[in-house]
Amino acid sequence: MSGISSSLTDPQNLTSYLRNSCGLSQKSAISVSKKLLIENPEKAGTVLELMRTHGLTQIHIEKIICTRPALLLVDLEHKLRPNMELLESLGFSGASLGKLLIKEPRLLHSDLVNTIEFFKAQGFSDKQLAMIIIKLPALLLLNTTKVFKPKLDFFRSMGFTDEDVAKILSWSPYILRRGLGNHIMPCVEVLKRVLGTNEDVLKVIKAGYYILDYNLERNLVPNMSIFKSYGVPEPYILRWFVLHPRTLLLRPEHVTEILAEVVKLGFDPNTRLFVLAFSSMALQSKTLWEKKLGAYKSFGLSEDQVYSAFRLRPMFMITSVKKIKKVMNFFMTKMSIEPSEICRYPTLLLYSLDKRIIPRCAVLQLLMSNGFMKEDVKLFSYLIMTEEKFVKNLVRKYQNVLPDIVKAHKGKIEFQGFAGVM
């Protein structure tokens, strides 16, 4: 022990030990020594060695022990080793284990083995358990019988399968922190009141696992009223909420602001486009919206032209700035198409450039170069055509006389580009 007494009951010896073996600073070592009494230095040394064996660095150990010095006294064989090995079996080792334990060192002296066994018995996979641990490690410190079991039983009573429950709670474990009687059950009651059927309640929760973490009386209920006050038919609101619940969980003041903008742009509340326009604007900040407008303007489009496209296909504005630039640049350089023409078909901005647009262009180029298609066809119509129809009308129709068309459709033939013939 390099001059350190075999007994660390002396604060000065303990401070020295904490500095030399655990890497604590003088200040931290003094602070920790006031809270800790180590009668068996060999046991403490074994704890440190076990941590190093599992890939923890001196920096990790310093931070963990400084936060939770009592770990040096933990039962090695019945707590520490089993917990470390269990975490390793779930994919945590080295840097990832260090990061986790710095965040929640209490896991090492918790009843982790039994807690994990409980969740596995409920149908949770190792991958799902790892997701829970990454997102909310403190959750595993709670009592399984008192805290978790009643909530899991309640979800099953609603009609969710074991697979559903495991999926929902691994993606949104925060729900398990909520009280069953004072939060989860009242949320479900609100959803039943708003949606009308248990089937739709299950659908909306599956579409947005996070929904049960919200105060629905404070968000959803007033937002439904606001939409109705604008004349939006309830079936439109409910249908969209079931598919995209997050849009109706915004602050009511923010919802009012967005709806006012949608009305200002000329959308009719009695149409589906009104709800789509609201969602498109609600899914992003004003700053991001302005950046996207700027991206379109950089290609020579006016704000009026961008909003004209938005009125045709509101969701085209959810496309990322990076993709906007990539797609616009492709059409202008590879196909010599004017930006104003692209705005007539805003749906194109929603398609994958690499998986749909470029392969289809390669197919059309192959057909033109071999005389199977005239060069004055309306190419945009082929780009927005359904996949089933495109394959039937072009790929299958010509694959016997033009075998390379299959390769082109799979993106294995480079598209060289051609002049705009839209």
Side-chain angles (χ1 to χ4, degrees), residues 363 366-367 370 372 394-410 413:
V363 167
L366 193 63
L367 290 170
N370 284 276
F372 291 105
L394 298 180
V395 181
R396 288 179 187 159
K397 182 177 180 179
Y398 294 103
Q399 64 181 5
N400 292 330
V401 292
L402 203 58
D404 280 350
I405 199 169
V406 177
K407 290 182 181 179
H409 186 242
K410 290 181 178 179
I413 292 181

Side-chain angles (χ1 to χ4, degrees), residues 128-195:
Q128 289 170 329
L129 288 168
M131 287 171 65
I132 291 173
I133 293 171
I134 290 170
K135 292 178 180 179
L136 196 61
L139 194 67
L140 299 184
L141 302 174
L142 302 178
N143 185 292
T144 54
T145 305
K146 293 180 180 179
V147 178
F148 300 139
K149 191 175 185 303
K151 294 170 187 175
L152 298 182
D153 289 344
F154 173 71
F155 287 128
R156 292 192 188 97
S157 73
M158 289 176 61
F160 287 114
T161 64
D162 286 352
E163 185 180 353
D164 291 333
V165 173
K167 191 173 181 181
I168 290 168
L169 297 179
S170 60
W171 277 100
S172 191
Y174 314 99
I175 297 168
L176 287 172
R177 294 183 308 183
R178 296 291 192 174
L180 179 59
N182 62 15
H183 183 87
I184 295 174
M185 293 175 76
C187 272
V188 171
E189 287 305 311
V190 171
L191 290 175
K192 286 180 179 178
R193 191 170 77 238
V194 169
L195 297 170

Side-chain angles (χ1 to χ4, degrees), residues 282-327:
L283 289 170
Q284 52 202 314
S285 66
K286 285 186 178 180
T287 301
L288 182 56
W289 185 272
E290 291 300 323
K291 284 182 180 178
K292 292 180 180 182
L293 279 176
Y296 284 116
K297 288 179 181 179
S298 70
F299 289 96
L301 291 169
S302 68
E303 194 164 303
D304 285 345
Q305 287 175 310
V306 177
Y307 277 114
S308 291
F310 179 65
R311 291 185 187 95
L312 289 174
R313 180 69 65 171
M315 298 308 286
F316 101 114
M317 280 297 283
I318 67 170
T319 304
S320 69
V321 172
K322 182 179 178 181
K323 186 180 176 183
I324 288 170
K325 291 180 177 179
K326 191 176 180 182
V327 174

Side-chain angles (χ1 to χ4, degrees), residues 191-197 200 221 223-225 227-242 248 269-271 275:
L191 290 175
K192 286 180 179 178
R193 191 170 77 238
V194 169
L195 297 170
T197 68
D200 280 341
V221 174
N223 285 341
M224 290 289 294
S225 298
F227 265 85
K228 290 177 184 176
S229 72
Y230 273 82
V232 181
E234 187 169 321
Y236 284 177
I237 309 170
L238 295 180
R239 194 178 306 127
W240 191 252
F241 176 61
V242 169
L248 280 180
N270 287 296
T271 65
V275 178

Side-chain angles (χ1 to χ4, degrees), residues 69-113:
L71 284 173
L72 291 171
L73 308 176
V74 169
D75 186 321
L76 188 70
E77 297 305 324
H78 294 96
K79 283 288 182 184
L80 192 63
R81 193 187 302 280
N83 286 350
M84 292 281 273
E85 290 175 352
L86 178 57
L87 289 171
E88 191 170 56
S89 74
L90 293 173
F92 297 95
S93 62
S96 63
L97 180 62
K99 183 179 179 181
L100 171 65
L101 294 178
I102 288 170
K103 184 177 181 180
E104 190 48 83
R106 292 178 296 172
L107 288 176
L108 289 180
H109 55 85
S110 69
D111 196 13
L112 188 60
V113 173

